[in-house]
Amino acid sequence: TRKLLAECVQRQIALVIGTTGLTPEDDQAITDAATAIPVIQAPNFSLVVNVMTMLAAKAADLLGDRYDIEILEAHHRFKKDAPSGTALNIAREICSATGKSYEDDVIFTRHGDEVTRKPGEITMQTLRLGDAVGEHTVYYATLGERMELRHVGTSRDSYAIGAVRAAQWLANKQPGRYAMGDVLGLDV
C-alpha cells in the first residue's frame, strides 16, 4: 500500500485501498495523497457489511445505553490480526453515532472474577475457526429481549464485487478521500 500510494500520486491514478492494520503515519499519507488523487479506503468492500455497519450505528443510537452491545467476529484460523478491521470499524461507527469514546468505551476482553458489564460499554469478541470466510454479528440486548444484526461471508467474491463497484464509482472523481458509504449513498 505504501509503495502503491506513492506510485498512484506520481502517475495521477485513483486508488482503492482495502488494507487494514495501517499506522497513523500511513493514514496521514493517505490523507495527503487524497489532496492530489481520488482515494477510497474501506476495511471491507462487501456491500452487505457496509449496509450492516450503517444499520448497527443507527440501531445503537436508537436503542441507547439500556441495551448491551456485543460485537462478535469470526474468521479462518490463519487470519493474523484480531479483532478484524471490519469489527473495529463497526465499533467506531457505533461510537460515532452514540457519542461514545472508542478508546474508553470499547472493551476487548472480559475475564476474571468480577466482570459485571458497565453501562454504555461495547464489548468485542474474536473467534478463529477453520475456514470461516468472515462473520460479524452485533448483539443488542436488554432484560427480556435481544436483537442481532449479522453478516456471514460464504465466498470472497462478495468483497471483490464491492471493490470493483468502488473502483467504477471512483473513476473520474475529484481528488479526495472517500468511503464505501459514499459509493452506496449511505448516511454513515
Side-chain angles (χ1 to χ4, degrees):
T1 299
R2 292 176 189 111
K3 289 179 185 178
L4 191 57
L5 185 63
E7 181 75 16
C8 286
V9 169
Q10 180 185 7
R11 297 177 64 192
Q12 291 293 288
I13 298 171
L15 181 60
V16 176
I17 301 172
T19 308
T20 59
L22 298 173
T23 67
E25 293 79 21
D26 294 327
D27 189 58
Q28 185 58 54
I30 293 167
T31 297
D32 294 344
T35 64
I37 61 170
V39 177
I40 186 164
Q41 183 180 18
N44 192 312
F45 283 98
S46 159
L47 304 179
V48 173
V49 163
N50 281 278
V51 170
M52 185 186 107
T53 300
M54 182 271 302
L55 292 172
K58 185 68 174 172
D61 183 43
L62 290 170
L63 294 172
D65 281 345
R66 291 189 176 174
Y67 282 75
D68 303 330
I69 300 174
E70 296 269 343
I71 301 169
L72 175 67
E73 65 96 350
H75 285 83
H76 53 87
R77 67 171 64 167
F78 305 107
K79 184 166 178 57
K80 292 183 178 184
D81 62 325
S84 70
T86 299
L88 296 173
N89 187 56
I90 291 168
R92 285 186 183 99
E93 291 298 327
I94 289 172
C95 287
S96 177
T98 58
K100 294 186 185 318
S101 164
Y102 177 81
E103 291 76 19
D104 297 332
D105 295 319
V106 178
I107 309 302
F108 293 95
T109 185
R110 188 182 306 282
H111 66 276
D113 294 332
E114 182 55 47
V115 293
T116 306
R117 172 180 280 281
K118 295 180 182 94
E121 71 185 14
I122 300 164
T123 306
M124 182 94 54
Q125 304 292 330
T126 298
L127 302 174
R128 293 294 173 257
L129 305 166
D131 64 353
V133 172
E135 300 178 20
H136 296 86
T137 306
V138 184
Y139 297 88
Y140 306 84
T142 193
L143 303 179
E145 65 181 345
R146 179 177 74 227
M147 178 175 78
E148 300 173 14
L149 289 176
R150 185 168 191 210
H151 170 263
V152 177
T154 57
S155 165
R156 289 180 176 80
D157 291 352
S158 61
Y159 310 115
I161 289 166
V164 168
R165 183 164 169 182
Q168 290 170 332
W169 181 89
L170 195 61
N172 301 313
K173 288 284 187 255
Q174 292 297 312
R177 190 165 182 173
Y178 301 99
M180 281 302 287
D182 299 314
V183 174
L184 298 173
L186 300 175
D187 185 29
V188 209

